[in-house]
């Protein structure tokens, strides 16, 4: 019983951490331009949050007794963010080699 309660808290934390990189869209919608240093720190935090969310989600989904819609949703969000980041890196590398 105690383990499932811990996994429920962990799954909620995984969902919150998975959604934090989407906070990047707030300045975009408000048309706020951030300085270069802030954008760099924000990008590093987004990468860390996406990877942390993926790790926490996988830990929660791995146990069959703790699988729920929240766990699956946070896993899908985290995987999508990590794949998008890997795609951006791959595109940057390809464009760099083509020039």
């Amino acid at each position: 019983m105690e383990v499932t309660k811990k996994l429920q808290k962990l799954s909620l934390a995984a969902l919150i951490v998975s959604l934090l990189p989407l906070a990047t869209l707030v300045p975009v919608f408000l048309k706020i331009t951030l300085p270069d240093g802030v954008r760099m720190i924000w990008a590093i935090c987004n990468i860390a949050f996406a990877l942390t969310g993926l790790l926490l989600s996988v830990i929660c989904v791995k146990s069959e007794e703790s699988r729920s819609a929240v766990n699956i949703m946070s896993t899908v969000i985290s995987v999508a963010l990590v794949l998008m980041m890997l795609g951006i890196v791959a595109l940057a590398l390809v464009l760099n080699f083509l020039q």
Side-chain angles (χ1 to χ4, degrees):
M1 188 62 97
E2 193 173 310
V3 175
T4 58
K5 200 163 206 144
K6 286 181 183 179
L7 285 174
Q8 285 177 347
K9 290 181 182 179
L10 191 64
S11 68
L12 184 61
L15 180 63
I16 291 170
V17 170
S18 297
L19 292 175
L20 281 176
L22 298 177
T24 305
L25 298 174
V26 172
V28 172
F29 291 140
L30 297 176
K31 296 182 181 174
I32 297 173
T33 304
L34 299 173
D36 289 338
V38 174
R39 280 191 287 174
M40 179 69 161
I41 292 171
W42 201 319
I44 292 170
C45 289
N46 282 339
I47 293 169
F49 285 142
L51 293 176
T52 304
L54 181 63
L55 178 69
L56 291 175
S57 299
V58 167
I59 289 171
C60 291
V61 169
K62 191 167 63 168
S63 173
E64 283 188 33
E65 61 191 27
S66 69
R67 283 187 194 152
S68 66
V70 174
N71 292 340
I72 294 170
M73 189 170 32
S74 66
T75 305
V76 168
I77 292 169
S78 296
V79 167
L81 289 171
V82 169
L83 285 175
M84 188 171 25
M85 289 179 191
L86 289 174
I88 291 170
V89 168
L91 182 65
L93 287 173
V94 167
L95 290 177
N96 191 22
F97 286 123
L98 289 178
Q99 290 180 350

